[in-house]
Amino acid sequence: MTISQTIHSLLTSDTELVSLIGYTPKNKRISPLKPNNPNDYPYVIFETFPYQAGEIDTYRCDIRIVHKNVVEMEKIAKRIIDLLHFRAKNKSFSVKNTAIYHAKHIGGGILHVEDLGVYEQLLIFHIKVKEMI
């Protein structure tokens, strides 16, 4: 399983996040790289960039939330941070066949796109994982 598939599984398996976004198997508002429907708000897109560190792979994950309502966008951002900002103390957290050892929210920002009348929030995470064989 790739890191993108792992992040997608983690985000789409959280009932609170799915409810906030309105994600359904038919209306896929959480996706890697580009939105399924860029005019259907809110949506979440993400991209991962690999780094190598021995046996544990380290990634940067950029998550973008696009919404017309800034207050609702902040609720989505808070839930994503709750899901992805943690440090496993004694053992890793597992998503399917991938163990996530550490995930840290390291930055981001909010942008208002006046032409489209939407807000875009960027959340940047560093994530350390290891595939379990």
Side-chain angles (χ1 to χ4, degrees):
M1 176 175 271
T2 68
I3 186 66
S4 286
Q5 291 169 326
T6 301
I7 298 299
H8 189 264
S9 290
L10 177 63
L11 297 177
T12 58
S13 66
D14 184 71
T15 54
E16 185 178 341
L17 181 62
V18 165
S19 175
L20 286 169
I21 295 172
Y23 176 91
T24 64
K26 203 171 196 178
N27 189 5
K28 300 179 180 188
R29 291 182 170 178
I30 301 172
S31 59
L33 302 175
K34 64 180 187 171
N36 287 327
N37 182 351
N39 299 315
D40 186 20
Y41 304 105
Y43 62 80
V44 172
I45 56 173
F46 61 92
E47 188 171 6
T48 56
F49 309 93
Y51 302 102
Q52 290 293 344
E55 289 185 27
I56 297 177
D57 293 326
T58 305
Y59 297 88
R60 173 182 159 161
C61 180
D62 292 356
I63 299 177
R64 294 184 192 284
I65 306 161
V66 181
H67 203 316
K68 289 189 175 237
N69 183 320
V70 72
V71 174
E72 294 299 315
M73 181 184 68
E74 284 293 331
K75 289 178 186 177
I76 294 167
K78 182 184 179 324
R79 184 62 193 152
I80 291 172
I81 291 169
D82 287 348
L83 286 172
L84 280 174
H85 183 78
F86 70 91
R87 182 181 303 262
K89 293 182 180 171
N90 297 325
K91 63 179 188 173
S92 61
F93 171 72
S94 181
V95 177
K96 297 200 177 178
N97 288 329
T98 303
I100 301 175
Y101 290 96
H102 171 74
K104 184 176 182 180
H105 178 228
I106 60 165
I110 298 175
L111 173 69
H112 182 247
V113 184
E114 286 191 38
D115 297 351
L116 300 175
V118 298
Y119 295 90
E120 181 178 310
Q121 184 163 4
L122 172 65
L123 302 172
I124 303 170
F125 294 89
H126 276 187
I127 302 172
K128 293 183 182 181
V129 300
K130 182 176 182 182
E131 276 196 59
M132 297 161 30
I133 300 173

